[in-house]
């Protein structure tokens, strides 16, 4: 009885703030995390192809022009940043965007270092900057989206 009286009719009171916003974890967060890690694996796979800029598709050799190859860095790393943002938000991380950007930029730098060890490829500061540019673009668009929709 004493315990029931001490808890009151509404149950125990928490000293900390109440949680609001999207639920933490769950299958959605796990799927976004898998998607982000899968994107990183795909980037690693593509960057491990020896550097003659030729890709065989269905028995045909496709030559990827260097300009197109360089421009692809921006959308690829923008998507990687967005995937990590979505995954980290799903796990309840309040500062998901800075962390997502940091993960994507760091991975872009590490991928460039990795390419220094792939035959026919090389590490490129310009490519690392294009990767960071894609991350910056995604971060700016996501920040704008957050401001437009208000706090979640």
């Amino acid at each position: 009885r004493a315990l029931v009286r001490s808890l009151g009719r509404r149950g125990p009171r928490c000293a900390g703030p109440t949680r609001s916003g999207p639920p933490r974890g769950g299958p959605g967060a796990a799927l976004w995390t898998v998607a982000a890690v899968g994107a990183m694996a795909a980037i690693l796979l593509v960057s491990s192809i020896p550097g003659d800029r030729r890709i065989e598709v269905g028995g045909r050799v496709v030559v990827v022009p260097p300009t197109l190859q360089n421009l692809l860095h921006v959308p690829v790393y923008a998507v990687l940043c967005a995937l990590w943002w979505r995954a980290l938000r799903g796990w309840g991380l309040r500062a998901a965007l800075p962390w997502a950007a940091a993960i994507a930029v760091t991975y872009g730098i590490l991928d460039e270092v990795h390419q220094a060890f792939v035959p026919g490829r090389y590490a490129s500061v310009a490519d690392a900057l294009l990767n960071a540019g894609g991350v910056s673009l995604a971060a700016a668009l996501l920040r704008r989206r957050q401001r437009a929709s208000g706090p979640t």
Side-chain angles (χ1 to χ4, degrees):
R1 284 187 188 173
L3 179 61
V4 172
R5 274 183 281 178
S6 69
L7 295 177
R9 289 184 175 172
R10 296 184 184 192
R13 295 184 184 191
C14 297
T18 60
R19 182 174 68 82
S20 63
R24 311 281 196 257
L31 289 175
W32 285 109
T33 303
V34 168
V37 171
M40 292 170 86
I43 291 169
L44 180 65
L45 181 68
V46 170
S47 69
S48 297
I49 298 171
D52 61 1
R53 299 189 200 290
R54 294 171 184 251
I55 300 172
E56 189 171 325
V57 179
R60 298 182 64 203
V61 174
V62 179
V63 178
V64 180
T67 305
L68 176 61
Q69 191 179 48
N70 287 337
L71 289 177
L72 287 175
H73 285 260
V74 174
V76 165
Y77 279 86
V79 168
L80 180 62
C81 179
L83 288 172
W84 273 115
W85 170 75
R86 192 75 167 105
L88 294 172
R89 262 190 60 206
W91 291 110
L93 185 62
R94 294 187 79 183
L97 188 53
W99 278 104
I103 290 168
V105 166
T106 302
Y107 190 73
I109 292 168
L110 291 174
D111 185 53
E112 289 304 318
V113 171
H114 155 257
Q115 288 182 48
F117 300 99
V118 176
R121 308 228 24 189
Y122 55 90
S124 168
V125 173
D127 286 354
L129 291 173
L130 286 168
N131 297 345
V135 171
S136 298
L137 176 65
L141 292 173
L142 291 169
R143 175 78 65 202
R144 184 176 176 185
R145 178 179 184 258
Q146 284 179 328
R147 287 185 180 149
S149 66
T152 57

